[in-house]
Amino acid sequence: MKLSFITDETLMDLRTNYDSYKEHYYTKDNVWFDEYFREEARVVESKIDFEMPEFNYHEEYAISDRENVKVIYDALKHLTVSQATQEKLWSGLAHLQFRDFTYYRLKNELQDKKDQRINTAIFFKNGNKRSLFVHILARLWWVGYMTYDESNTSNPYWLTDFFTEKDFSARCVVFFSSNFTSNRNITRGILKSIIKLEKRGIQIKRDHFVQANKYLNVVGGAMILDMLSTDEVEEMIDQYLVKYYSLEVGV
C-alpha cells in the first residue's frame, strides 16, 4: 500500500473552512468525506510503501496509546524526519487511511463537539514543534522515534513502555517542548536516568521530567549538548536529580 498525502490546497481548505464542514466530523460522515477526497487535486499518492497498521482500540486510552506508539512506529519507521514533520502527511492520514482511528481517538470530542481539541488533534494548531506531540497521529510516531532503543535487542521499546505508562498526553507536551529533547541521545539519557529513580521506589511525576529539562537548559548555555552520548547525558542527569531531590548517592 502507498502512503497518501493531502495537497496543500486541500489542507488549507479543511483548516480554514472547518466550521462549514464540522457537522460531517461530528456524524462521522464517511460518504461525504469519500466524495470530498475524490475531487481532483485533493489527494496525492506518495511513493512510500507501508503496511496498514492494526491499531489497538482498547476502551482505555492509557492502554491503547502505549500500544499504538509501537504499532504506528513499526509501520512507518522508514519515514524520514523531514517527512514526519509534515502536517499534510499526518492530517492526510487522519482523514484518509487512518480515519477510523481518528473517530476512535476523538470519540468523546466529536460527541461533545469540542472544536478546539478536534482541530489540534487533526491539524497543526500549536506551532510546528509542539503540534507534533499534540496531533493524535504525529505524536505516536514521534514518541516512538524518540524513545526507540535499538541497542536493546530484547525490547527496543523499553523506554517507550516507561514513558507511556501514564499521563501520556501531558508528558508528550511537557517533555518534548524543549529544544534539547529533539535529540534522541538526550531523550534516552533523561529517560534512563528517571527510570533509575522509579527503581528506587520513587513515584515518577511530571516534575521529574520538567527538572531534567530545566537543568539541561541551564548547562546548554555552557556546552554543546548535541555532542553528548546517551551515557553522558544519563550520568549528568543522575547527578543532578540525586542532588535536586536530596537522594542518597548510589542507593
Side-chain angles (χ1 to χ4, degrees), residues 118-129:
I118 294 170
N119 269 266
T120 59
I122 59 180
F123 302 114
F124 283 11
K125 295 282 190 173
N126 293 276
N128 289 338
K129 171 136 190 229

Side-chain angles (χ1 to χ4, degrees), residues 156-202:
Y157 285 111
W158 73 288
L159 294 176
T160 311
D161 287 334
F162 166 71
F163 185 80
T164 59
E165 66 184 1
K166 63 180 179 179
D167 301 328
F168 175 70
S169 297
R171 282 186 178 183
C172 283
V173 175
V174 170
F175 189 54
F176 290 111
S177 290
S178 166
N179 289 330
F180 301 119
T181 46
S182 297
N183 181 306
R184 299 172 82 185
N185 286 340
I186 292 176
T187 293
R188 294 168 185 168
I190 293 173
L191 294 180
K192 287 181 178 181
S193 180
I194 295 177
I195 285 173
K196 291 178 183 176
L197 298 186
E198 186 177 61
K199 289 180 177 178
R200 288 184 175 209
I202 295 171

Side-chain angles (χ1 to χ4, degrees), residues 60-77:
E60 292 185 31
Y61 293 143
I63 294 174
S64 63
D65 283 340
R66 168 185 284 192
E67 295 309 311
N68 286 329
V69 167
K70 305 171 189 177
V71 165
I72 201 166
Y73 189 65
D74 279 341
L76 298 172
K77 196 181 298 179

Side-chain angles (χ1 to χ4, degrees), residues 15-184:
R15 284 171 59 98
T16 58
N17 294 308
Y18 171 79
D19 285 343
S20 299
Y21 301 147
K22 60 186 180 183
E23 288 296 331
H24 301 297
Y25 289 92
Y26 302 157
T27 60
K28 304 176 184 178
D29 189 351
N30 282 324
V31 172
W32 182 87
F33 281 114
D34 289 344
E35 290 179 355
Y36 175 87
F37 289 112
R38 270 198 293 267
E39 292 182 22
E40 188 176 355
R42 291 287 192 205
V43 178
V44 176
E45 184 180 274
S46 75
K47 296 181 180 179
I48 303 170
D49 288 306
F50 81 108
E51 290 187 16
M52 189 69 178
E54 294 185 11
F55 284 105
N56 183 302
Y57 291 107
H58 196 281
E59 61 183 11
E60 292 185 31
Y61 293 143
I63 294 174
S64 63
D65 283 340
R66 168 185 284 192
E67 295 309 311
N68 286 329
V69 167
K70 305 171 189 177
V71 165
I72 201 166
Y73 189 65
D74 279 341
L76 298 172
K77 196 181 298 179
H78 53 297
L79 287 179
T80 67
V81 168
S82 176
Q83 290 167 338
T85 59
Q86 295 185 41
E87 181 182 7
K88 62 184 178 181
L89 166 65
W90 297 118
S91 186
L93 286 172
H95 285 88
L96 297 167
Q97 290 158 309
F98 298 167
R99 194 187 305 160
D100 286 343
F101 174 80
T102 300
Y103 291 155
Y104 153 77
R105 194 59 180 81
L106 295 180
K107 177 183 177 181
N108 296 329
E109 289 81 357
L110 293 170
Q111 180 177 301
D112 297 336
K113 301 182 179 181
K114 293 183 177 179
D115 295 322
Q116 183 175 355
R117 177 52 186 145
I118 294 170
N119 269 266
T120 59
I122 59 180
F123 302 114
F124 283 11
K125 295 282 190 173
N126 293 276
N128 289 338
K129 171 136 190 229
R130 187 182 178 91
S131 291
L132 294 175
F133 296 96
V134 174
H135 189 286
I136 55 170
L137 287 170
R139 68 183 181 183
L140 299 176
W141 189 93
W142 277 95
V143 169
Y145 173 76
M146 297 303 297
T147 60
Y148 187 84
D149 182 11
E150 61 274 357
S151 68
N152 189 325
T153 54
S154 61
N155 180 18
Y157 285 111
W158 73 288
L159 294 176
T160 311
D161 287 334
F162 166 71
F163 185 80
T164 59
E165 66 184 1
K166 63 180 179 179
D167 301 328
F168 175 70
S169 297
R171 282 186 178 183
C172 283
V173 175
V174 170
F175 189 54
F176 290 111
S177 290
S178 166
N179 289 330
F180 301 119
T181 46
S182 297
N183 181 306
R184 299 172 82 185

